[in-house]
Amino acid sequence: MRNWDTALPRRLGVLGFRLLHGTLACNAFTFYRTWGDRRGPHAHEACCSHAACRGQQLETLTHAFLECPAVQSAVDWLLNTWQALAAGAGDQPPRDARVLLVDDHRVWAPPPNLAKLWHRLRLAVLYGIWHYRCRRTFCRGRSLAALATRMAVDTLQRCIQRDWRRVVGVVRRVDYF
C-alpha cells in the first residue's frame, strides 16, 4: 500500500506497483512472452543493450536496475545519499533486489520516521533508471546513471515544492478565519 500514497507522484507509484508484481517489460520478459523457451536467431533480443553487456547478459529486472554497469553508479548514489540523509538513524540498506526493487521490510527496513523518505528516494532513482534505460538511444554519450540521478533530484525537488505550497496554502486559509 506504500505505492498508493496520495503524496507520491503517480508515475512513481505505478513503477513501484509494477516492480512489486514483476510486470515491467525488460528484454528477457518481452522475449519470453514473444518466443517462449525457444532459442534461435532472436535470442540476442533477451540480452541487455548496454555495450558492456550486449549479447552476454540476460536483461532481467535485477540486471536492469542493479547489476548493469550503466546503472551501478546511480545505485551507489542512492545508497550514499540515504546514508547521508539518515546519518545515525540505522544501518545502510543492502544492495539487494529484495530491498531496492520490492522494498521487502523482512530483509531491511528504514527507521519508521524515515520510511516515507526512503520510499520516495528509492522510487525516484528507480524511475530515473527505468526512464533513461527505455530511452538509451537518446542518452548519446551521456551517462545513464547521471541522467537518472538528476531526474531523481528534480522529482524530489518538485515533491518538496508541492508539499510546501500545500502547507502554505493551508496556513493562509487558517489565518483568514
Side-chain angles (χ1 to χ4, degrees), residues 75-94 100 108-122 125:
V75 175
D76 291 340
W77 181 87
L78 167 65
L79 298 175
N80 293 335
T81 301
W82 175 254
Q83 189 167 9
L85 290 172
D91 55 343
Q92 185 176 1
L100 298 175
W108 179 85
N113 61 331
L114 298 174
K116 281 189 176 185
L117 177 62
W118 164 251
H119 190 61
R120 288 183 186 183
L121 178 64
R122 179 182 69 84
V125 171

Side-chain angles (χ1 to χ4, degrees), residues 49 131 135 142 172:
S49 61
H131 178 81
R135 291 154 186 83
R142 294 176 290 176
R172 285 184 185 149

